[in-house]
DNA sequence: ATGATTTGACCCGA
DNA sequence: TCGGGTCAAATCAT
C-alpha cells in the first residue's frame, strides 16, 4: 500500500523537519525560545505518533483486506471534514483535501506558497489565511492551503491542504545545492545559497513568492527573520524524493481516500 | 522599482 | 441574506 507508506514517510519527514528546527534553535539559542522549543518538541512527538499510527493501521489493513473500514480516520493528520453548514462546494467539503493540526502553523512544508487572502471566520476567534502555490500561474498548479489557529491555549493550528501540486518541484529540489559550508548544518539545504549558479539564480527568481512568516503566528521575530528567507529544508527530503521516486509532500487524490 | 502582503469588495452557493 | 472563498488595489518590504 504505497500511499500509506507515502503518508507515513511524509509525516516522518515533517517530524524530521521539526527536529531540525529544534536542533537549529538549540544550536543558536540564547535564552527566550523555550516556548518554541517546547512547541517543536511536541510537534516532533506528534508527527512520530501519527506516522506510527499510520503504519499500524496499514498493517491492520494488510491483515484484513476484506474489511472495508477506514483506519485512517483515527489519524489526526488525515482528519475527515467536520461537516458544517455552508456551501457544498466549499473547499473543506471537497474530497481532495487533507488537514493537519499542530501546535504551530506549518510554514516550511517543502512548498512555496503565496498568501492571497485572510478572513475572519464567524464563530472563530482567529482569522483564516488562504495560500496558493507560488507556481499557480507559472505551472498551473492548483494546490492551496488554509492556515487557521483553532485553539488559543495551548495554541493549536489547523493547516488544510486542497488539491495536489502539479508543479515540477522535483526539478526545483534537484537544483538546490547542499550547503556544506557549515559542518554542523551540512545536512541542510539552503534555498538562498550565498553563491548561486546562474541556474540557481533562475530558480530563486522563480521562487520569489515565498511566504514571509512575519505575521501573528511567529512567536519570535528574530526566529522568523532567521528562517523565512532561508527556507531551510532537510536534504533527507530531497533524498526521499530521489529514493522513493515521489515527493512526499505531493498528494494525489488517491492518497485522500 | 519590484514583488509580496494586506484588506475591503465582490462573487456565489446555501 | 449570510458567510466562505477569491480578487485586486493599496500598502509595505526589500
Amino acid at each position: 500500500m504505497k500511499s500509506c507508506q507515502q503518508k507515513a514517510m511524509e509525516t516522518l519527514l515533517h517530524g524530521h523537519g521539526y527536529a531540525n528546527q529544534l536542533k537549529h534553535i538549540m544550536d543558536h539559542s540564547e535564552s527566550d525560545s523555550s516556548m518554541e522549543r517546547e512547541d517543536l518538541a511536541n510537534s516532533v512527538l506528534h508527527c512520530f505518533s501519527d506516522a506510527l499510527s499510520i503504519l499500524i493501521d496499514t498493517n491492520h489493513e494488510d491483515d484484513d483486506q476484506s474489511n472495508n473500514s477506514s483506519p485512517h480516520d483515527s489519524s489526526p493528520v488525515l482528519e475527515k471534514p467536520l461537516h458544517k453548514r455552508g456551501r457544498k462546494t466549499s473547499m473543506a467539503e471537497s474530497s481532495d483535501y487533507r488537514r493537519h493540526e499542530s501546535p504551530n502553523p506549518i510554514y516550511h512544508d517543502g512548498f512555496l506558497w503565496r498568501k492571497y487572502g485572510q478572513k475572519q471566520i464567524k464563530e472563530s476567534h482567529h482569522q483564516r489565511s488562504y495560500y496558493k502555490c507560488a507556481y499557480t500561474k507559472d505551472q498551473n498548479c492548483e494546490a492551496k492551503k488554509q492556515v487557521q489557529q483553532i485553539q488559543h491555549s495551548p495554541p493549536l493550528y489547523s493547516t488544510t491542504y486542497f488539491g495536489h501540486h502539479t508543479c515540477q518541484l522535483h526539478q526545483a529540489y534537484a537544483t538546490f545545492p547542499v550547503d556544506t559550508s557549515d559542518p554542523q548544518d551540512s545536512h541542510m539545504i539552503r534555498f538562498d545559497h550565498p553563491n548561486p549558479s546562474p541556474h540557481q539564480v533562475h530558480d530563486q527568481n522563480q521562487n520569489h513568492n515565498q511566504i514571509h512568516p512575519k505575521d501573528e503566528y511567529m512567536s519570535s521575530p528574530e526566529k522568523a527573520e532567521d528562517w523565512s528567507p532561508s527556507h531551510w529544508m532537510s536534504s533527507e527530503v530531497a533524498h526521499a524524493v530521489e529514493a522513493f521516486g515521489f515527493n512526499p509532500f505531493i498528494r494525489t487524490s488517491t492518497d485522500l481516500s
Side-chain angles (χ1 to χ4, degrees), chain A residues 1 25 30 34 57 97 105 142 150 164 175 186 197 204 215-216 218 224 247:
Chain A
M1 171 82 49
I25 287 178
E30 277 83 46
S34 59
D57 289 341
Y97 86 99
E142 295 181 350
I150 56 177
H164 57 273
T175 61
S186 61
S197 69
Q204 283 186 330
D215 52 36
E216 68 275 14
M218 290 304 277
N247 184 334

Side-chain angles (χ1 to χ4, degrees), chain A residues 194-211:
Chain A
N195 298 308
S197 69
H199 198 93
Q200 291 149 13
V201 168
H202 171 72
D203 280 327
Q204 283 186 330
N205 289 337
Q206 277 203 326
N207 293 338
H208 54 52
N209 291 331
Q210 66 191 25
I211 295 168

Side-chain angles (χ1 to χ4, degrees), chain A residues 36-234:
Chain A
E36 204 164 7
R37 282 200 297 260
E38 190 176 330
D39 283 349
L40 286 168
N42 286 333
S43 296
V44 171
L45 290 171
H46 194 94
C47 285
F48 288 149
S49 297
D50 290 343
L52 283 171
S53 71
I54 291 170
L55 290 172
I56 290 168
D57 289 341
T58 304
N59 285 339
H60 287 192
E61 249 185 9
D62 292 342
D63 288 346
D64 189 5
Q65 282 280 353
S66 61
N67 190 342
N68 248 355
S69 63
S70 51
H72 295 164
D73 291 354
S74 62
S75 168
V77 181
L78 303 168
E79 225 168 281
K80 291 293 181 186
L82 300 167
H83 275 292
K84 53 174 188 177
R85 283 154 265 123
R87 51 168 103 173
K88 268 184 183 172
T89 56
S90 70
M91 295 172 75
E93 294 193 11
S94 73
S95 59
D96 197 9
Y97 86 99
R98 293 185 70 195
R99 187 167 154 219
H100 182 95
E101 291 178 6
S102 61
N104 42 13
I106 300 170
Y107 289 114
H108 310 284
D109 56 7
F111 288 102
L112 295 172
W113 300 95
R114 159 178 269 189
K115 190 174 184 177
Y116 67 91
Q118 181 172 302
K119 217 175 159 66
Q120 182 69 49
I121 302 301
K122 207 190 174 197
E123 297 177 12
S124 172
H125 297 298
H126 305 98
Q127 293 188 320
R128 178 180 297 167
S129 298
Y130 299 89
Y131 299 90
K132 281 179 182 174
C133 176
Y135 300 101
T136 294
K137 286 186 178 179
D138 291 350
Q139 301 183 26
N140 253 349
C141 183
E142 295 181 350
K144 294 177 184 175
K145 77 170 179 181
Q146 296 177 358
V147 177
Q148 183 178 12
Q149 186 172 357
I150 56 177
Q151 187 178 298
H152 184 70
S153 181
L156 187 63
Y157 295 87
S158 169
T159 304
T160 310
Y161 296 87
F162 300 93
H164 57 273
H165 286 272
T166 56
C167 52
Q168 297 300 308
L169 208 68
H170 296 73
Q171 295 172 9
Y173 282 138
T175 61
F176 290 125
V178 175
D179 184 357
T180 55
S181 58
D182 181 351
Q184 276 195 317
D185 288 331
S186 61
H187 58 297
M188 305 291 281
I189 296 173
R190 281 199 74 150
F191 278 32
D192 62 342
H193 195 272
N195 298 308
S197 69
H199 198 93
Q200 291 149 13
V201 168
H202 171 72
D203 280 327
Q204 283 186 330
N205 289 337
Q206 277 203 326
N207 293 338
H208 54 52
N209 291 331
Q210 66 191 25
I211 295 168
H212 294 273
K214 63 183 178 184
D215 52 36
E216 68 275 14
Y217 299 123
M218 290 304 277
S219 56
S220 166
E222 291 79 16
K223 292 299 173 191
E225 193 61 31
D226 190 14
W227 290 354
S228 64
S230 302
H231 270 276
W232 290 98
M233 173 172 283
S234 164

